[in-house]
Amino acid sequence: MNGRMLQEIADEMPPARLPDDLWRAGRRLRQRRRFGYAVAAVVVLVLALAVPTVAGHRRAAVEPADRPGAVPSRVEQPHLWQAAVGQWPAGAGGPAALVFFTARTRYFESTGVTVGRNGSYRLIYQDIGEENGLLTPDGRYYVRPGLRMLDLTTGAQRRLADVADRSRPLAFSPDGSELLVGIVNDDEGIVYGDDAIPDSDPEKPDDLIAVDMRTGAQRYVAVGRMNSYTTAAWSPDGTRIAVEGPVGRGDVGRRLSVMDARTGEPISTTDNFAPDRRLAGRAAWTPDGGLIALLAFEGCTERCDLAAENARRWRLELADPTSGSIVTLPVPIDGAPGEVVGWRDGRDAVLTYAPDRDDPRRWTLAALRPNGEIDTLVDTPPGVSDLEVPDGLLRSGAFGGPPAEPSIWAAPAWAYAIALAPVLLVLAIVRRRRQRARV
Amino acid sequence: MAAEDSFRDYVAARLAGLSRAAYLLTGDRHLAEDLVQQALVQVASRWERISAGGDPDPYVRRVLYHQHVSWWRRRRLVDRPHADPPDVVVADRVPDKDTELTVRQALRRLTPRQRAVLVLRYFEDLTEVQTAEVLGCSVGTVKSNTRDALARLRATAPELEYLRGAR
């Protein structure tokens, strides 16, 4: 190659003309580059945080649905932007290990929160005034009043049977094949009694039905008998049910009735017009089926203010289902009990429990030993109430699972849009400025 | 302001040389101007770091040549109408004028990389090692590109017989 020849060709080129703002153009390029680095750093940071979380969720989602799981030993309040069930389906790992209720959500009213076996948190929106529902024994469905079955893995909802929205699910049969439901026959908004509180109409007593969970077929267990059915418990062998509800004008009394689960034939009936004792809950029958647990208290029983209610001294009693008489020494409870939902080791009652009687805003799940000692099974932050654990996990005693914390990424699409909006706005402004600069 | 002044001084001193190299690379005055401008904007954006490292020439040359290859990759050159050999009034330099035209046309048939290798080696008088540094490749790649470029020149312009001896 001849360098001289190239030199001669190159001689034809005069020095290039340069714009006056060459230096400034270089500065602008530097700014753009730095902005790009900053954006890239943010993206990398977000991905570094998001990928392990999302991967964890994906791993959890492919776990087999029949994996037993465990009840987490602690739960937290959900994030304000937490996705509702269905907004980000939790997948195969989504059957609930626990459901609790809290008002500290973006709905500012009592809202259900399902904690899946994979640790996922999803909100269960409740209609205004909607009562709480029940979890199916496998934790897959949350049964809302009116027998609306909410699939916690997909968010799909269907109605199990044609009943009114006010119909209240009470308890599953031991094999999970039937659900006891209180059918409300009252007119709405009628006030009875002397305290201006809407009560059940004694002229229109409610009915108790059992609904087949597979077919939705309804079977009447008891017609009338009580103003309403507030608590029901199925004996472990499935042959008897204990039902409680108010009776009399203004719901002044409580009737506890033990009846045949098939025919509804009464075995025993106990009326108590001093409302200091109630059926302990859906798991009131002791595991051997011999006794029924009652929650009783000493303290204010009529027109009680909050302080008087909080001052009640509670105890657990065991009663003979046939005679209704108390047959064991009461177990004192240092706190406020909610409802007995199961038993641990065939001996300790598992109940929802407010440890601090003066601050009944925090409910936990606890085991009550015969000597009155309390073991906390699920710890909670303030504002959590009405804990629900599926019967399957309760029966297997699968407590002590790892604490479950809500993922910040399980958010509805609009939350992502809100989070991205400032970034997009900045990008739009930068782009517009660049376009103006070119003009 | 000191950085801006030193940048202006550098540009004033090196503009002619950069423009000539860019012309050899692109074969077109307008493209050569664009190439120089874009390269210098890149240089201005990093001037403090470049000037702090001592001689800016190696970096500036690297930017120029990489920018050129980058253009080719983005097909910018293909999309733009390629100018004919500059129609300038130059002094009659016969008898080399015919050879010069032949070289110019033959250069156009080279890939940007091959062209860059020739310009760096025979116009800028860089060694193979320096050429490899500018292009960010190995010395072996420089050698093979040089060999291929000369072979193509010989094939497209057999009259440049004297290239046979060039290595």
Side-chain angles (χ1 to χ4, degrees):
Chain A
M1 188 72 212
N2 192 332
R4 187 178 58 82
M5 196 69 66
L6 292 178
Q7 293 283 357
E8 286 179 2
I9 296 173
D11 284 344
E12 295 170 11
M13 178 69 191
R17 293 164 297 176
L18 297 177
D20 294 336
D21 65 344
L22 187 67
W23 175 256
R24 286 202 301 278
R27 300 288 100 173
R28 288 196 295 273
L29 176 62
R30 187 163 73 163
Q31 284 177 354
R32 287 201 299 276
R33 190 165 51 231
R34 286 180 175 174
F35 180 72
Y37 289 156
V39 170
V42 170
V43 169
V44 168
L45 191 66
V46 168
L47 286 178
L49 289 171
V51 166
T53 308
V54 172
H57 278 282
R58 288 191 65 80
R59 271 200 305 279
V62 297
E63 283 175 1
D66 59 354
R67 181 174 166 162
V71 183
S73 55
R74 181 175 171 85
V75 293
E76 303 294 342
Q77 293 281 4
H79 298 295
L80 275 180
W81 56 87
Q82 208 77 60
V85 174
Q87 284 180 328
W88 184 337
L98 179 79
V99 164
F100 63 87
F101 290 81
T102 174
R104 296 184 189 181
T105 69
R106 60 177 175 274
Y107 301 124
F108 300 112
E109 288 202 358
S110 182
T111 305
V113 180
T114 172
V115 181
R117 292 179 185 178
N118 57 3
S120 58
Y121 276 60
R122 299 291 185 274
L123 302 184
I124 300 172
Y125 177 75
Q126 289 185 295
D127 297 332
I128 295 172
E130 177 180 323
E131 290 189 69
N132 295 350
L134 281 186
L135 279 172
T136 53
D138 62 1
R140 176 164 179 178
Y141 295 93
Y142 174 71
V143 186
R144 303 172 66 181
L147 297 187
R148 291 168 290 171
M149 306 272 291
L150 178 63
D151 188 334
L152 299 179
T153 63
T154 65
Q157 182 172 284
R158 65 184 170 85
R159 200 180 278 272
L160 176 62
D162 185 21
V163 295
D165 280 351
R166 289 186 292 164
S167 304
R168 188 171 169 223
L170 297 171
F172 283 98
S173 62
D175 61 2
S177 63
E178 286 189 305
L179 172 63
L180 282 176
V181 179
I183 299 295
V184 179
N185 293 324
D186 298 332
D187 299 325
E188 290 190 61
I190 301 176
V191 177
Y192 294 92
D194 305 321
D195 52 6
I197 297 174
D199 295 315
S200 299
D201 184 350
E203 302 296 323
K204 297 179 178 175
D206 292 356
D207 301 325
L208 184 69
I209 64 169
V211 179
D212 188 305
M213 290 302 292
R214 195 169 52 82
T215 64
Q218 303 172 38
R219 170 171 71 82
Y220 277 85
V221 179
V223 177
R225 302 194 195 178
M226 300 183 200
N227 295 355
S228 67
Y229 296 89
T230 53
T231 310
W234 221 299
S235 67
D237 61 2
T239 58
R240 293 162 294 170
I241 52 176
V243 192
E244 188 180 60
V247 290
R249 182 173 178 275
D251 290 347
V252 292
R254 300 184 77 82
R255 173 170 295 163
L256 172 61
S257 178
V258 178
M259 60 185 80
D260 187 287
R262 285 283 122 200
T263 63
E265 184 181 343
I267 298 171
S268 69
T269 299
T270 308
D271 287 346
N272 177 14
F273 289 91
D276 58 358
R277 182 175 283 115
R278 59 183 162 88
L279 189 63
R282 76 193 74 159
W285 291 84
T286 52
D288 61 4
L291 299 171
I292 293 174
L294 305 172
L295 289 169
F297 64 85
E298 290 173 18
C300 178
T301 57
E302 279 186 56
R303 300 178 186 272
C304 308
D305 59 17
L306 188 61
E309 283 187 4
N310 291 345
R312 289 170 178 166
R313 311 294 298 189
W314 288 89
R315 63 187 186 274
L316 182 81
E317 297 174 342
L318 296 177
D320 183 281
T322 310
S323 65
S325 56
I326 309 301
V327 297
T328 61
L329 286 174
V331 180
I333 303 173
D334 184 24
E339 178 188 6
V340 173
V341 295
W343 295 81
R344 184 180 68 173
D345 302 332
R347 182 195 61 187
D348 307 333
V350 175
L351 68 168
T352 53
Y353 175 72
D356 185 355
R357 277 184 294 145
D358 294 328
D359 183 17
R361 289 173 302 174
R362 182 172 79 91
W363 288 83
T364 63
L365 193 74
L368 175 69
R369 298 187 182 201
N371 62 2
E373 281 183 29
I374 287 284
D375 297 330
T376 301
L377 301 175
V378 180
D379 199 10
T380 57
V384 165
S385 65
D386 300 307
L387 285 80
E388 287 272 342
V389 176
D391 286 349
L393 292 182
L394 284 170
R395 278 197 212 102
S396 63
F399 300 108
E405 293 188 5
S407 164
I408 62 170
W409 305 107
W414 56 258
Y416 280 92
I418 289 175
L420 280 176
V423 177
L424 295 176
L425 186 65
V426 169
L427 288 177
I429 291 171
V430 169
R431 190 177 172 187
R432 191 162 181 176
R433 282 188 179 173
R434 285 175 60 187
Q435 285 173 342
R436 280 185 183 169
R438 279 185 199 144
V439 175
Chain B
M1 289 304 288
E4 184 175 355
D5 290 341
S6 67
F7 175 73
R8 289 189 189 284
D9 292 344
Y10 175 79
V11 171
R14 293 287 294 123
L15 182 60
L18 291 171
S19 303
R20 285 151 56 84
Y23 181 65
L24 287 176
L25 288 173
T26 61
D28 179 273
R29 279 190 183 187
H30 299 296
L31 289 175
E33 268 193 353
D34 283 354
L35 182 58
V36 171
Q37 284 175 14
Q38 287 203 14
L40 287 177
V41 167
Q42 292 273 356
V43 170
S45 75
R46 293 189 163 98
W47 180 248
E48 287 86 347
R49 214 173 61 190
I50 296 168
S51 57
D55 181 14
D57 274 354
Y59 181 85
V60 175
R61 203 177 273 130
R62 202 176 303 139
V63 171
L64 190 78
Y65 285 82
H66 279 274
Q67 190 80 34
H68 176 235
V69 175
S70 169
W71 274 10
W72 174 74
R73 283 191 180 137
R74 281 184 279 166
R75 304 278 178 194
R76 292 261 173 97
L77 292 173
V78 173
D79 295 340
R80 288 185 71 145
H82 208 104
D84 283 326
D87 212 8
V88 292
V89 179
V90 290
D92 193 356
R93 290 194 298 252
V94 288
D96 289 344
K97 187 171 173 57
D98 289 345
T99 311
E100 197 180 300
L101 277 172
T102 307
V103 170
R104 200 196 315 267
Q105 286 163 353
L107 280 174
R108 256 189 219 131
R109 292 189 171 86
L110 301 181
T111 67
R113 192 102 175 183
Q114 291 170 339
R115 210 156 151 154
V117 167
L118 289 189
V119 173
L120 286 167
R121 292 278 288 113
Y122 299 109
F123 175 69
E124 306 242 30
D125 279 335
L126 300 189
T127 65
E128 287 176 337
V129 173
Q130 289 171 323
T131 302
E133 282 175 3
V134 169
L135 294 177
C137 63
S138 67
V139 174
T141 305
V142 171
K143 284 180 178 173
S144 63
N145 270 319
T146 309
R147 189 176 57 244
D148 295 346
L150 293 176
R152 184 172 280 194
L153 281 179
R154 281 195 296 270
T156 54
E159 57 272 39
L160 301 176
E161 185 60 26
Y162 62 90
L163 290 177
R164 191 176 298 279
R167 289 290 182 273

